[in-house]
């Protein structure tokens, strides 16, 4: 959240500069169900709590990109990771056809392919941060439109770690003014390792 800065008192007051960019705090946890029957019970509980939910299939790619050289860097340089994710129709996971799914609209052009791109920085360090029960990271989210988004990052030096197709549900819950999103994913689906 960001609030506009107030001008200095007295007289006309100088115009305040632009407010700082808005930021968002995201808390995330990951867990697994030990038994398959727990998955159904958990899904029923989420449906009873959520305001809305949807089913989807996703195609994810994880890339490693080299960072600019720095003094005392380890052999081979340093790298950072990017995760690219796009949503698909359910039939794509089973058929493997990138164009499979609903029939094209007779009057409208197909929307451009949308990739969500996420970069997570290393865990933040500091006396107060080190005492927390969870890791704190800086996260940057962006969206790229077009089928060539993965190739764009590969041209920049990105190397494919792995890619996978998964099916699942996403539940949106409003609790005391906070938005809680719960993603429930099935098996890993088709997984392909990148060449090293």
């Amino acid at each position: 959240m960001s609030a506009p800065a107030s001008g200095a008192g007295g007289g006309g007051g100088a115009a305040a500069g632009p407010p700082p960019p808005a930021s968002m705090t995201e808390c995330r946890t990951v867990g697994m169900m030990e038994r398959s029957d727990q998955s159904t019970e958990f899904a029923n509980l989420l449906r009873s709590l959520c305001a809305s939910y949807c089913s989807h299939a996703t195609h994810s790619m994880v890339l490693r990109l080299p960072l600019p050289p720095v003094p005392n860097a380890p052999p081979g340089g340093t790298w950072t990771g990017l995760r690219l994710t796009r949503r698909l129709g359910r039939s794509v996971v089973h058929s493997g056809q990138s164009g499979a799914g609903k029939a094209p609209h007779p009057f409208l052009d197909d929307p451009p392919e949308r990739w969500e791109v996420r970069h997570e920085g290393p865990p933040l360090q500091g006396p107060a941060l080190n005492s927390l029960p969870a890791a704190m990271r800086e996260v940057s989210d962006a969206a790229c439109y077009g089928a060539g988004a993965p190739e764009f990052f590969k041209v920049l030096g990105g190397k494919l770690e792995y890619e996978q197709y998964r099916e699942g549900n996403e539940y949106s819950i409003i609790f005391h003014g906070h938005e809680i999103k719960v993603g429930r994913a099935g098996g890993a689906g088709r997984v392909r390792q990148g060449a090293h």
Side-chain angles (χ1 to χ4, degrees):
M1 300 285 294
S2 62
S6 58
S23 62
M24 179 181 68
T25 300
E26 178 183 271
C27 301
R28 184 173 58 174
T29 182
V30 178
M32 297 183 66
M33 296 289 181
E34 295 182 354
R35 303 194 316 267
S36 58
D37 59 318
Q38 292 178 324
S39 177
T40 301
E41 295 175 2
F42 184 57
N44 291 335
L45 173 63
L46 291 173
R47 289 193 188 99
S48 68
L49 296 174
C50 71
S52 63
Y53 79 96
C54 64
S55 298
H56 60 268
T58 58
H59 173 204
S60 299
M61 304 177 70
V62 175
L63 304 175
R64 293 173 70 232
L65 277 85
L67 293 175
V70 295
N72 303 321
T78 55
W79 298 74
T80 188
L82 283 183
R83 177 179 293 274
L84 284 69
T85 305
R86 62 176 177 143
R87 295 212 171 179
L88 308 168
R90 281 186 171 270
S91 58
V92 177
V93 174
H94 301 294
S95 67
Q97 302 292 328
S98 60
K102 60 184 180 181
H105 195 283
F107 302 111
L108 300 178
D109 294 333
D110 291 335
E113 198 169 276
R114 183 179 190 272
W115 288 87
E116 297 177 359
V117 183
R118 166 164 289 208
H119 171 259
E120 294 185 3
L124 301 178
Q125 302 292 326
L129 296 172
N130 293 340
S131 63
L132 295 176
M136 297 282 290
R137 301 172 183 266
E138 290 186 352
V139 177
S140 299
D141 288 321
C144 295
Y145 293 86
E151 295 303 320
F152 169 77
F153 290 104
K154 290 179 181 178
V155 169
L156 295 180
K159 296 183 180 299
L160 178 67
E161 286 281 283
Y162 66 89
E163 63 178 318
Q164 66 179 7
Y165 295 83
R166 304 186 72 166
E167 291 184 327
N169 299 329
E170 184 177 271
Y171 305 84
S172 295
I173 302 170
I174 305 299
F175 182 74
H176 291 290
H178 297 281
E179 181 183 17
I180 302 174
K181 287 190 175 182
V182 181
R184 174 174 168 263
R190 299 204 320 274
V191 179
R192 184 172 72 88
Q193 299 291 333
H196 297 285

